[in-house]
Amino acid sequence: MDHDPDWQRLVSRLKAAKTVKVVQYEVGDPITKDDREILKVMEAVPPPPPVMRLLEKANGLKLLWNGSPGGHAVQGSINILPLVQSALRAGATEESAPLEGVLWNDEYAPAIKKQLQEMAIFEALAGRSAHLTYRVGDKDARLFLVDDDRIEALVPDFVTVIGLIERFGGADGLREHLVHADWKDRLAKDETLQAIAAL
């Protein structure tokens, strides 16, 4: 992975800011042999190489913070799922199909439902029914913002997205900027995000 995120450095930076309060921070240990064995036993498809490389160093991450950097009220969160949870793609109940009732349901249009059935969750966005997902088997791990039955591809590649999530602490609104071709301009013009980056 070209960008190796330092989650502890991000949390230290947020904690050092007088205008920010870190509410929760949990980072998982690296992937274990047991994690890999569970995938084999359950016949789950492992995540794509970029996701695996990220999880090999930190198997899941939860960060929740709020504050007013630069005088702008904002909150941020990062909720990257651990390997086993992402790869097993569990439904809402034991009898559910993969991610049924979590990412899709039978009320969705057939074309949308089919797309969502081919995905796994990378990140669950706090306080919303939205997720960052990837297609199972996509070696590049192109990420999608899924909000109910709306699916939007993120423009930057996986490594760039991770770098931006780290830089801006997973701030609210960040991922929505990344579905636009002019995402760099949008980030540069977002005063709140720039205040977070300057912490």
Side-chain angles (χ1 to χ4, degrees), residues 23-165:
V23 178
Q24 179 182 19
Y25 173 60
E26 298 172 20
V27 63
D29 293 327
I31 293 172
T32 65
K33 287 182 185 178
D34 288 345
D35 294 327
R36 293 177 195 275
E37 189 61 30
I38 289 170
L39 297 193
K40 285 181 187 174
V41 169
M42 300 299 290
E43 299 179 356
V45 177
V51 177
M52 286 296 286
R53 284 191 291 272
L54 179 75
L55 297 178
E56 281 170 352
K57 304 222 174 171
N59 189 12
L61 171 71
K62 288 187 180 192
L63 171 64
L64 181 62
W65 61 270
N66 58 53
S68 55
H72 307 279
V74 65
Q75 61 184 12
S77 66
I78 305 172
N79 188 17
I80 297 172
L81 271 57
L83 171 66
V84 171
Q85 188 178 353
S86 180
L88 291 183
R89 304 173 61 230
T93 68
E94 287 186 20
E95 294 81 29
S96 300
L99 296 178
E100 180 181 4
V102 177
L103 199 58
W104 62 272
N105 62 53
D106 284 330
E107 295 177 12
Y108 287 7
I112 298 293
K113 180 176 154 183
K114 183 177 185 314
Q115 288 182 62
L116 293 172
Q117 288 173 324
E118 297 170 353
M119 294 184 172
I121 297 172
F122 171 70
E123 181 186 21
L125 303 188
R128 300 170 52 188
S129 61
H131 302 86
L132 286 188
T133 66
Y134 58 88
R135 285 199 171 94
V136 174
D138 173 12
K139 65 181 179 66
D140 296 325
R142 175 65 62 185
L143 293 173
F144 297 84
L145 177 61
V146 175
D147 195 349
D148 290 322
D149 63 349
R150 194 175 80 240
I151 305 169
E152 297 180 279
L154 271 61
V155 176
D157 63 31
F158 181 84
V159 172
T160 302
V161 171
I162 295 305
L164 294 168
I165 288 174

Side-chain angles (χ1 to χ4, degrees), residues 17-20 67-74 191-199:
K18 293 181 173 129
T19 58
V20 171
S68 55
H72 307 279
V74 65
E191 292 178 12
T192 303
L193 290 181
Q194 293 308 312
I196 294 166
L199 292 174

